């Protein structure tokens, strides 16, 4: 159905769409349904496969939808139909299929949800985080997040990278898989 006009941002997944209008109202709809208002005071919205999260102008983050992998960040495994408060002090949000990222006002990157491949950057791969946790690239467990092993025909090299994500990347809805590749040309002299 027609969604109207005046949208500053629109996001969608396979079953629903949502948008924030320039007046700060948040709207959601699916299929032929008319858009329904979810309130005012919003600045950003993001969608995963089956979950939605929204950032209010006061820095609070709200989430709803599927929560099978803890992607709502509300310390529960239950799905919810209405927005639930995740926390406050945030400046940007992003959602992937089954995990969520949010940037705190102090620059800390927070993550929660599925960590099946270590995508949260905290905790062991294969775990779930139902509450926001800081992304740490120098954790004490092995393998460390942020460590990349590259193998070639004659060499095997391990690189450790510290990653900083700018707030404008999250605010602009950048999605997908992030990879950091560093190639450093090293010349070694050998005596024969």
């Amino acid at each position: 159905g027609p969604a109207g006009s005046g949208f500053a941002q629109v996001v969608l997944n396979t079953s629903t769409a949502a948008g924030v209008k320039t007046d700060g109202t948040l709207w959601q709809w699916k299929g032929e349904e008319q858009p329904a208002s979810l309130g005012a005071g919003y600045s950003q919205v993001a969608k995963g496969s089956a979950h939605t999260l929204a950032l209010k102008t006061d820095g609070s983050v709200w989430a709803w939808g599927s929560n099978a992998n803890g992607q709502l960040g509300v310390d529960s495994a239950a799905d919810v139909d209405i927005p639930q408060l995740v926390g406050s002090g945030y400046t940007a949000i992003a959602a992937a299929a089954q995990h969520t990222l949010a940037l705190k006002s102090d620059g800390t990157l927070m993550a929660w949800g599925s960590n099946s491949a270590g995508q949260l950057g905290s905790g062991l791969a294969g775990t779930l985080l139902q509450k926001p946790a800081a992304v740490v690239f120098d954790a004490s467990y092995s393998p460390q997040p942020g460590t990349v092993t590259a193998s070639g025909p004659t060499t095997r090299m391990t690189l450790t990278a510290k990653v900083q994500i700018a707030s404008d990347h999250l605010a602009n809805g950048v999605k997908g898989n992030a990879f950091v590749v560093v190639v450093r040309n090293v010349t070694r002299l050998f005596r024969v």
Side-chain angles (χ1 to χ4, degrees), residues 9 21 34 92-93 103 127 129 151 164:
Q9 180 196 13
K21 287 193 173 191
Q34 290 295 317
I93 55 174
L103 189 65
T127 61
L129 290 177
S151 296
Q164 181 177 4

Side-chain angles (χ1 to χ4, degrees), residues 1-3 14-17 28-35:
T14 57
S15 60
T16 64
Q28 183 166 291
W29 64 95
K30 71 176 184 176
E32 298 295 319
E33 293 178 3
Q34 290 295 317

